[in-house]
């Protein structure tokens, strides 16, 4: 769990994983098979552990859930949020864009299927507004001619 300034605690991260196929951008979606949200299509997500930075959690979850290695990672210009009734709190989730080179996914026990899809199909498969907005933001950042990617890229040690 990462704690920031005024006591805000970030406990969960989300990552929109993509690869390039020619001029197209394809996004990886995973179908949950575990007891929570069974059948839900999603990107990579997970809980921060052992004083990880949020982006380190995104990379660890990528490896654990798919066996993939990141080529690059950036902070999306978007933070997802939702209300968690059982704890009576607002949960804020930093979103990352992660590019991978391979399309070969080794699913963890949390997921039953995966698909590499274009943005339009991804938006149809995803359930929550926060998922749509996160994915659209990452797509917009990848296709814009502005400086956001330059300023939000995270250097990976190779």
């Amino acid at each position: 769990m990462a704690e920031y300034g005024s006591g805000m605690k970030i406990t969960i991260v989300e990552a929109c994983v993509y690869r390039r196929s020619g001029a197209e951008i394809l996004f990886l979606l995973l179908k949950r098979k575990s007891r929570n949200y069974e059948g839900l299509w999603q990107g990579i997500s997970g809980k921060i552990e052992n004083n990880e930075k949020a982006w380190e959690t995104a990379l660890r979850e990528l490896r654990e859930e798919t066996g993939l290695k990141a080529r690059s990672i950036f902070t999306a210009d978007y933070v997802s949020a939702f209300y968690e009734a059982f704890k009576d709190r607002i949960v804020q989730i930093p979103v990352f864009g992660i590019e991978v080179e391979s399309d070969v996914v080794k699913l963890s026990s949390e997921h039953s299927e995966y698909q590499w899809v274009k943005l339009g199909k991804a938006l149809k498969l995803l359930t929550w507004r926060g998922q749509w907005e996160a994915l659209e933001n990452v797509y917009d950042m990848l296709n814009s001619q502005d400086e956001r990617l330059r300023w939000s890229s995270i250097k990976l040690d190779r």
Side-chain angles (χ1 to χ4, degrees), residues 61-120:
E61 290 290 341
L62 172 71
R63 287 187 308 273
E64 289 177 2
E65 293 182 10
T66 68
L68 294 169
K69 184 176 178 182
R71 178 180 192 177
S72 64
I73 182 172
F74 64 90
T75 305
D77 186 15
Y78 179 77
V79 174
S80 185
F82 67 91
Y83 174 71
E84 192 172 57
F86 74 93
K87 289 191 177 179
D88 192 32
R89 68 179 181 177
I90 300 290
V91 177
Q92 293 190 317
I93 306 167
V95 176
F96 301 92
I98 302 178
E99 183 177 13
V100 296
E101 293 178 16
S102 176
D103 64 350
V104 179
V105 175
K106 297 175 189 160
L107 289 177
S108 73
S109 60
E110 293 179 45
H111 300 98
S112 60
E113 301 176 43
Y114 73 92
Q115 292 185 44
W116 287 102
V117 295
K118 294 180 187 177
L119 178 65

Side-chain angles (χ1 to χ4, degrees), residues 1 22 26 31 36 43 46 53 71 80 107-108 134:
M1 178 180 335
L26 299 176
K31 189 174 189 180
N36 295 329
K53 293 181 175 133
R71 178 180 192 177
S80 185
L107 289 177
S108 73

Side-chain angles (χ1 to χ4, degrees), residues 13 51-61 63 73 96:
V13 301
N51 296 317
E52 289 173 317
K53 293 181 175 133
W55 63 270
E56 292 171 328
T57 299
L59 294 175
R60 176 181 51 76
E61 290 290 341
R63 287 187 308 273
I73 182 172
F96 301 92

Side-chain angles (χ1 to χ4, degrees), residues 10 17 22 24-25 28 32 35 61 63 67 72 75 86 99-100 119 121 127 129 132-133 137 142 150:
I10 305 297
V17 176
E24 293 184 328
I25 297 171
L28 176 62
R32 289 188 65 87
R35 67 191 179 286
E61 290 290 341
R63 287 187 308 273
S72 64
T75 305
F86 74 93
E99 183 177 13
V100 296
L119 178 65
K121 184 169 183 184
T127 301
R129 178 176 301 279
W132 306 331
E133 291 174 354
N137 179 272
L142 291 169
R150 177 178 171 210

